[in-house]
Every structure is written in structure tokens, then in C-alpha cells.
Amino acid sequence: MIYFIKSIITEKSLSIKELKNIYTFLFHYKANKLNIKKEIEKRFNVTVKTVRTMILLIKKMRKKNSNNNYSKYRKIKKVFIELKEGQYIEV
């Protein structure tokens, strides 16, 4: 199963990348740290030093014109990848 969704490019993630060589990605919420490490190493040909994860709940749009007028949430995993010194990913 492919767990990788996309890389996150924001002002905060770019500053972390420049200061600490840490990259930010979104993965499927069922991915574990070992799967994430293997997929990043395979996709970008780099050596991963550490993997930190957090699960986010993303709110979907509210249903209109229905009896069930509630919001649904979608789980997604935000991943912080630290690479070994001297290595980088061109995002």
C-alpha cells in the first residue's frame, strides 16, 4: 500500500527545513514509522535519521439539505523527517 500523500510547503516548514534539516509530509493515518522511513528512503534516495508523527483530524464540509446536519472528520498523519547531515530533498 502506498502511504505517501504529499509534502507540506509552508513558511514554517521551510524555516524548519533550513535550520534543522527536517522535512514535513502528509501520510495515510495507518502508516507506521517503519513504513514511513522505508518509503521516504526509497522515493528520495536519502538516509532518514529520525521520524516523528502526529495524527490530525481534518474537518470535512458540513452536509446540506439532509437530516444529518453534522461535520465529518478525516484522519491524516503529519510526519517530520530528519535526514542525516549533508543530505537534502529537493521539494
Side-chain angles (χ1 to χ4, degrees), residues 1-5 23-44 46-55 76-83 89:
M1 181 176 183
I2 298 174
Y3 295 107
F4 183 78
I5 297 175
Y23 294 83
T24 312
F25 298 97
L26 290 181
F27 275 78
H28 189 269
Y29 77 97
K30 289 188 176 181
N32 59 23
K33 290 184 179 184
L34 185 61
N35 290 340
I36 292 168
K37 181 178 179 178
K38 286 180 181 178
E39 194 158 336
I40 291 292
E41 288 177 345
K42 180 180 173 186
R43 186 178 290 253
F44 297 109
V46 293
T47 306
V48 176
K49 186 176 178 183
T50 59
V51 178
R52 291 182 290 147
T53 63
M54 62 191 301
I55 294 178
I76 200 162
K77 192 170 275 192
K78 188 174 184 180
V79 179
F80 300 96
I81 304 284
E82 184 178 357
L83 302 179
I89 297 173

Side-chain angles (χ1 to χ4, degrees), residues 4 6-10 13-14 17 22-25 44 83 88-91:
F4 183 78
K6 68 177 184 177
S7 60
I8 299 176
I9 301 174
T10 61
S13 68
L14 290 176
K17 181 181 102 172
I22 295 176
Y23 294 83
T24 312
F25 298 97
F44 297 109
L83 302 179
Y88 63 93
I89 297 173
E90 292 184 19
V91 181

